[in-house]
Amino acid sequence: MANVTIRLSPPVEFILRQSGAFRRSLDNLEPLWDRLKPVMSEIEQEQFESHGHGDWPPLAESTLRYKQGPDMMVESGDLKSSLVDPGRAAESGPRQMVWSTDVPYAHYHQEGGSVPGRPPQRVVLEVRTEDRQGKIEPSVVRWVNEVAARTWGAI
């Protein structure tokens, strides 16, 4: 995948303190990543629909002359699709999930720039504190509690 990336990794200190069947369940986090993929997809969908939660600068007049349609910030839809579709965005393994895009021009939006022809910064991949606390962390806690209940009782 390309150069606009978020890595989700487990709290290693917590895992190392565990033992038995519970610890063995934490050695493969693929079930957790499967639970978080729709959450990340929702976060990215909101990022595009809200134009960066209102933080994206408006399009230049020169761009507005040829843009049409309901969402003028999305031209082909490839960048948005690459970050909203878990099949494209997620790469996961037993210990880590990477959410990224393979669209080569994504970093121009993510980082922005003052080079002529490059867009201003419009962060396309972002996990805000509200998203982490309101969506990701509750999903992780529910999953850990479910695993604990199956192995030796709720934490």
Side-chain angles (χ1 to χ4, degrees):
M1 298 244 169
N3 46 16
V4 177
T5 302
I6 289 179
R7 293 185 193 288
L8 300 173
S9 299
V12 176
E13 312 79 36
F14 171 79
I15 292 171
L16 293 175
R17 287 193 310 263
Q18 308 312 311
S19 62
F22 182 64
R23 165 79 182 269
R24 286 189 298 280
S25 295
L26 297 176
D27 286 339
N28 180 9
L29 299 175
E30 289 282 2
L32 173 60
W33 306 141
D34 288 342
R35 182 172 290 198
L36 290 180
K37 287 174 185 177
V39 174
M40 286 299 297
S41 181
E42 177 186 327
I43 289 169
E44 279 304 300
Q45 184 72 32
E46 285 177 14
Q47 185 72 358
F48 277 87
E49 287 177 358
S50 68
H51 298 168
H53 300 274
D55 291 338
W56 290 355
L59 294 172
E61 286 298 320
S62 57
T63 304
L64 291 172
R65 284 195 281 277
Y66 71 86
K67 286 275 199 159
Q68 296 177 5
D71 190 351
M72 298 195 5
M73 294 299 238
V74 176
E75 190 162 324
S76 71
D78 192 39
L79 177 57
K80 179 179 179 181
S81 172
S82 76
L83 288 166
V84 170
D85 177 3
R88 280 183 77 182
E91 191 175 305
S92 60
R95 301 293 276 184
Q96 175 176 266
M97 180 171 76
V98 174
W99 197 271
S100 63
T101 178
D102 57 357
V103 173
Y105 55 84
H107 69 95
Y108 295 124
H109 293 283
Q110 187 77 7
E111 298 163 12
S114 57
V115 176
R118 290 192 185 162
Q121 184 178 33
R122 294 185 178 99
V123 175
V124 293
L125 181 57
E126 178 179 41
V127 176
R128 301 172 312 134
T129 300
E130 304 87 80
D131 296 326
R132 191 182 74 249
Q133 292 175 344
K135 296 175 182 174
I136 293 174
E137 288 175 6
S139 294
V140 171
V141 168
R142 278 191 300 275
W143 182 80
V144 167
N145 281 330
E146 289 167 13
V147 170
R150 283 194 310 271
T151 56
W152 54 268
I155 291 178

